[in-house]
Amino acid sequence: MKTPGGQPAHPEKKKRTRGALPTGSPRGWTFWSTASTCWRLFLLKHVLALFPVKLAEPLIVGTLYHALLDNWSEDGLATFGPEYIEHIPLAVKLYEARLSGPPLPKATAAEKTHTLAFGMTSKPDREELGFGRKPIVRDFKSAAFFSDHDDKRWQTNGGIIGEVIAVPGAEMAIVDVICKREGDSFGRVQQFEVPVGEREREALEQQVNDLRSQIHMRVDEAVEAAALNDVTARAKLLKQAFPKNLNGCVGHYGPCSHYDRCWSNGPEKHLFEQRQRSGYAWLKDEGDAELTRKVSELSDAYVGLA
């Protein structure tokens, strides 16, 4: 597929060497898809604000790769933290392979956070001008392998749909995927066009609104359960408010980030730490004082249960 736009990308002369670590948006698709994947995972991440002490390698490499595409220098990447340093060479190798691949038009904006009308946030990697100078978005991904159904998977991905909706005048995204598996396919780039119209917008808005309603309902159930005097009944109802979804425990790329927290009986079960800034960013962005108060009451209630 030919990439819409103009000339190959040329790295800017002045690279970024410091700044905030690149992150997602507070109520982006990662947040909403956590709720749709597993309510226990939502509880751990966004009610109790618990995260693995050690970041997963794919997450680290992805962060570094995106930062390089956003004009960070190698020295700048080293400021992200000691756990990132050993993965910088692979990210640089991916970045250089991408620059040798299909041309990249000049970006009109990069990593800009938008808020959609129905309360979802979105931060496209790049905003560009396509044919006829019509706005499009580009989302960079890295993958260990490609499948025959990738085009359909990206066409129904809420994050990609949200990015297109977020940019005024845009009707299409390009999902720009590079292979990171060592071997003959390393550095191979596939680009998938994702057209977004009214039916995609309706589907995403309905799903976000449904999930928001369920979040409120489950938080209310947990708050009511926490007030019970019967210890056994309280524990049972607290767990029922945010149940595990077995289908979400091990996915296409391996175990869930919180698998050990839910299923391990060894020391790895306790290799989690509270990160309130990350876990509660959605509450600050949602701006619901009553919901924030209720969530803050639940941390003590789940001690020993989650």
Side-chain angles (χ1 to χ4, degrees), residues 122-144:
S122 181
K123 187 162 73 170
D125 291 337
R126 287 164 61 104
E127 299 171 30
E128 302 170 354
L129 294 177
F131 293 119
R133 298 188 63 77
K134 194 171 183 65
I136 62 172
V137 301
R138 183 181 300 271
D139 194 289
F140 293 106
K141 304 288 186 185
S142 58

Side-chain angles (χ1 to χ4, degrees), residues 247-281:
N247 290 329
C249 293
V250 181
H252 199 50
Y253 295 106
C256 158
S257 60
H258 289 59
Y259 181 93
D260 288 332
R261 184 75 184 187
C262 288
W263 296 109
S264 175
N265 292 318
E268 60 271 18
K269 180 181 181 70
H270 305 289
L271 296 178
F272 291 79
E273 62 185 3
Q274 193 172 53
R275 299 178 194 159
Q276 294 188 0
R277 184 175 180 180
S278 298
Y280 297 146

Side-chain angles (χ1 to χ4, degrees), residues 34 37-46 243 256-258 262:
T34 296
T37 299
C38 177
W39 284 109
R40 183 59 58 84
L41 179 61
F42 182 87
L43 168 72
L44 293 170
K45 292 179 66 175
H46 299 299
C256 158
S257 60
H258 289 59
C262 288

Side-chain angles (χ1 to χ4, degrees), residues 216-249:
H216 280 263
M217 178 191 73
R218 292 177 183 280
V219 168
D220 286 344
E221 287 181 3
V223 169
E224 290 179 10
L228 295 176
N229 292 323
D230 186 318
V231 175
T232 302
R234 181 170 69 237
K236 180 180 179 181
L237 292 174
L238 282 169
K239 290 180 179 180
Q240 287 179 354
F242 293 95
K244 296 175 182 175
N245 176 9
L246 297 178
N247 290 329
C249 293

Side-chain angles (χ1 to χ4, degrees), residues 147-221:
S147 80
D148 294 337
H149 309 294
D150 281 343
D151 55 341
K152 294 180 175 62
R153 180 161 70 97
W154 295 121
Q155 286 169 10
T156 54
N157 180 279
I160 303 302
I161 294 171
E163 289 179 3
V164 178
I165 296 172
V167 177
E171 296 178 353
M172 185 181 75
I174 295 176
V175 184
D176 191 295
V177 189
I178 190 168
C179 181
K180 60 184 177 183
R181 182 187 290 271
E182 293 289 351
D184 294 340
S185 295
F186 183 88
R188 176 187 168 201
V189 175
Q190 284 199 21
Q191 297 177 323
F192 303 91
E193 290 186 351
V194 179
V196 174
E198 184 60 21
R199 66 177 182 178
E200 288 82 12
R201 187 201 64 78
E202 284 184 357
L204 181 60
E205 180 175 1
Q206 180 178 346
Q207 185 168 8
V208 168
N209 287 336
D210 286 348
L211 289 169
R212 179 179 285 108
S213 295
Q214 287 194 56
I215 289 169
H216 280 263
M217 178 191 73
R218 292 177 183 280
V219 168
D220 286 344
E221 287 181 3

